[in-house]
Amino acid sequence: NAGVTQTPKFRVLKTGQSMTLLCAQDMNHEYMYWYRQDPGMGLRLIHYSVGEGTTAKGEVPDGYNVSRLKKQNFLLGLESAAPSQTSVYFCASSYGAWGGTDTQYFGPGTRLTVL
Amino acid sequence: AQSVSQHNHHVILSEAASLELGCNYSYGGTVNLFWYVQYPGQHLQLLLKYFSGDPLVKGIKGFEAEFIKSKFSFNLRKPSVQWSDTAEYFCAVTLHGSSNTGKLIFGQGTTLQVKP
């Protein structure tokens, strides 16, 4: 049982390049989330999904797109990377209990640098 | 907009000292409260959570937190810290309700450094 895994662990991009971050979970969770972590700002929600085939915007969605074609995978895309997107990206998943009482399980993170 | 504030950004303690990390949130409705910890080089993991019942919640590794509704606070405590508690600590909130979808609102984080 691997929990939540993220690929890749590190990446360096040039401004304008595109890339996709992959998140996979093997816990049969309904809900999945993408966060970014920046110094002094905690974690901020980018996009989330409440089930296969669904996505929704979080607090800071601009410049990112997501897809949830399979229940176990949640992809985060950057179409044209900008230096402001330099950050550590965390994926998380949860069962999806009503009322937001769930524990979210986090992946190990992806450190992205945009030059 | 709802927010979570952690007033201590960087705390340095000696081993065996007592710890209290502050967390306040701004939301008038019912909330669920969490403390997550991120050890160096590791991913976030849950320390404890509160959503109903006894406002004093006990978590893993000897941590506890008290929910004080009148103060909108959920402070984290540990009577005696160890060097292995060196980590970053995040307070987080979800808003209780059918439209919630479990979105966590995080505080800025507190870096705890414990000196041996």
Side-chain angles (χ1 to χ4, degrees):
Chain A
N1 190 334
V4 181
T5 57
Q6 293 182 230
T7 309
K9 289 186 169 52
F10 303 94
R11 186 71 185 269
V12 178
L13 291 179
K14 294 181 180 178
T15 297
Q17 287 185 317
S18 64
M19 78 163 294
T20 300
L21 282 66
L22 170 64
C23 175
Q25 52 92 6
D26 61 2
M27 296 175 282
N28 201 31
H29 284 171
E30 287 295 330
Y31 289 12
M32 296 187 75
Y33 309 84
W34 274 107
Y35 296 90
R36 60 177 289 172
Q37 182 183 24
D38 301 293
M41 303 187 75
L43 280 78
R44 292 177 293 168
L45 184 65
I46 305 171
H47 286 281
Y48 64 100
S49 167
V50 299
E52 181 179 317
T54 75
T55 63
K57 294 181 180 179
E59 183 186 356
V60 288
D62 293 343
Y64 305 95
N65 56 73
V66 287
S67 64
R68 182 109 181 259
L69 298 179
K70 293 183 178 180
K71 185 177 182 179
Q72 63 268 35
N73 296 336
F74 194 30
L75 279 64
L76 177 71
L78 286 74
E79 290 185 347
S80 179
S84 60
Q85 293 178 304
T86 293
S87 187
V88 181
Y89 292 85
F90 287 98
C91 177
S93 69
S94 70
Y95 283 108
W98 184 91
T101 59
D102 266 348
T103 297
Q104 289 187 21
Y105 294 83
F106 285 80
T110 295
R111 186 173 296 274
L112 174 66
T113 301
V114 182
L115 302 175
Chain B
Q2 296 85 17
S3 65
V4 178
S5 296
Q6 293 180 241
H7 310 296
N8 316 102
H9 298 297
H10 197 154
V11 174
I12 302 174
L13 294 173
S14 297
E15 276 194 313
S18 64
L19 170 71
E20 181 160 3
L21 301 182
C23 173
N24 287 89
Y25 63 93
S26 64
Y27 181 64
T30 304
V31 295
N32 308 299
L33 298 148
F34 303 78
W35 276 98
Y36 280 86
V37 62
Q38 186 178 27
Y39 297 104
Q42 296 188 26
H43 56 275
L44 276 81
Q45 55 188 288
L46 182 72
L47 266 181
L48 48 80
K49 66 179 180 181
Y50 169 83
F51 52 90
S52 66
D54 188 342
L56 184 61
V57 181
K58 294 193 185 300
I60 62 172
K61 304 187 180 185
F63 286 92
E64 65 178 31
E66 184 175 14
F67 171 50
I68 303 179
K69 189 174 182 179
S70 61
K71 294 185 177 180
F72 298 89
S73 70
F74 190 54
N75 291 356
L76 182 71
R77 300 193 293 247
K78 186 171 184 178
S80 176
V81 295
Q82 300 172 318
W83 177 79
S84 57
D85 293 324
T86 294
E88 190 158 17
Y89 293 80
F90 293 95
C91 181
V93 164
T94 63
L95 308 179
H96 195 86
S98 59
S99 63
N100 172 44
T101 66
K103 292 179 286 183
L104 281 167
I105 303 166
F106 280 88
Q108 306 93 321
T110 297
T111 301
L112 171 64
Q113 183 182 353
V114 180
K115 294 186 174 180

